[in-house]
Amino acid sequence: MAGIDLTGKVAIITGAARGQGAAEARLFTSLGAKVVLTDVLVDEGEGIATELGARFVRHDVGDEAGWETVVETAVSEFGRLDVLVNNAAICQSVPLVEQSAAGFEAMLRVNLIGAFLGVKAVVEPMRATGGGSVINVSSQAGLQGLAGYSAYGASKWGLRGMTKVAAIELGPYGIRVNSVHPGMIDTPMVAHLGIRPGPGGHPGAPLTRVGMPAEVADVVAFLASDASAYMTGAELAVDGGASAGKIPTPAP
């Protein structure tokens, strides 16, 4: 990626065994970063880590003690911590009247509380080195309401809001906190929707196609780098324009 350099930076990327997280881990290492990958998918995560010369930690982001292990791994292996990418998430489409309280809470536990615990866990090691960058991967569903996604949307709107509060509170320590809002991206998480890559595959977006994980990774790497040094509390949509507004249906 031209103009972006992560040489010397140490990053934690959650949910990095596949999809967007794996793309981010590959790009970060290619740009010079040292990476600690975390996921609950052990075989896939270890495979990516071996491929990249990175470190893998099995990690449920909703477990506070697990965050201590991840941060300790980054600092002990690489001597510092500069970047956290809160990428791990789960998604399920359920009509609001059919959504169980347990299912709603499970979505919040991973998508929102997990990110909250991560931000708390990295503050001290980032302060120790003069600052850092936290990138919270929210969603198009954190910018607008999407029918069928009450729990997922609540978690992603919450993550968007928490990002802004964290940016305000942590800015004096040199810690930047921004959110990225992917739309329909070609990952295993949305494979059940039967999306078709390429032009015309996603008529709900002005660019008419789904995004690719590498396209989200490019934006995340920018926010992790010094090229975005004066950006905090920002929200960047990577959704092919889908959140810009509703596309009119042509008259018959």
Side-chain angles (χ1 to χ4, degrees), residues 125-132 173-175:
M126 286 187 178
R127 286 184 66 180
T129 54
Y173 307 137
I175 300 173

Side-chain angles (χ1 to χ4, degrees), residues 30-248:
S30 74
L31 295 174
K34 301 295 185 182
V35 178
V36 175
L37 298 77
T38 89
D39 211 302
V40 294
L41 302 175
V42 175
D43 291 343
E44 294 95 324
E46 289 181 341
I48 295 290
T50 299
E51 170 194 336
L52 301 178
R55 299 292 184 272
F56 173 77
V57 178
R58 189 207 177 277
H59 178 214
D60 173 358
V61 294
D63 174 31
E64 190 165 9
W67 273 107
E68 294 178 11
T69 299
V70 171
V71 170
E72 287 172 3
T73 299
V75 174
S76 63
E77 290 282 340
F78 302 120
R80 57 186 295 133
L81 179 59
D82 304 282
V83 180
L84 167 64
V85 183
N86 275 317
N87 173 80
I90 57 175
C91 179
Q92 185 178 19
S93 177
V94 182
L96 187 147
V97 296
E98 298 175 13
Q99 176 68 67
S100 69
F104 200 101
E105 289 177 359
M107 201 84 68
L108 294 180
R109 169 60 59 180
V110 174
N111 299 357
L112 181 55
I113 295 174
F116 159 74
L117 293 173
V119 174
K120 286 185 63 178
V122 303
V123 169
E124 288 308 316
M126 286 187 178
R127 286 184 66 180
T129 54
S133 177
V134 175
I135 301 99
N136 290 325
V137 181
S138 180
S139 170
Q140 177 191 343
L143 296 173
Q144 61 182 171
L146 297 179
Y149 291 91
S150 59
Y152 184 75
S155 70
K156 294 301 188 177
W157 277 83
L159 184 55
R160 176 189 179 192
M162 187 187 73
T163 296
K164 295 192 181 299
V165 174
I168 294 167
E169 293 189 7
L170 303 181
Y173 307 137
I175 300 173
R176 301 183 296 108
V177 190
N178 296 286
S179 60
V180 173
H181 298 258
M184 187 70 72
I185 308 297
D186 187 12
T187 67
M189 192 166 71
V190 298
H192 66 285
L193 299 176
I195 59 175
R196 176 171 57 85
H202 183 23
L207 293 184
T208 77
R209 65 175 179 84
V210 298
M212 303 305 292
E215 294 175 306
V216 179
D218 283 342
V219 176
V220 172
F222 164 69
L223 291 174
S225 77
D226 295 339
S228 60
Y230 199 54
M231 290 181 65
T232 194
E235 51 195 43
L236 300 184
V238 190
D239 63 0
S243 63
K246 185 174 177 61
I247 297 176

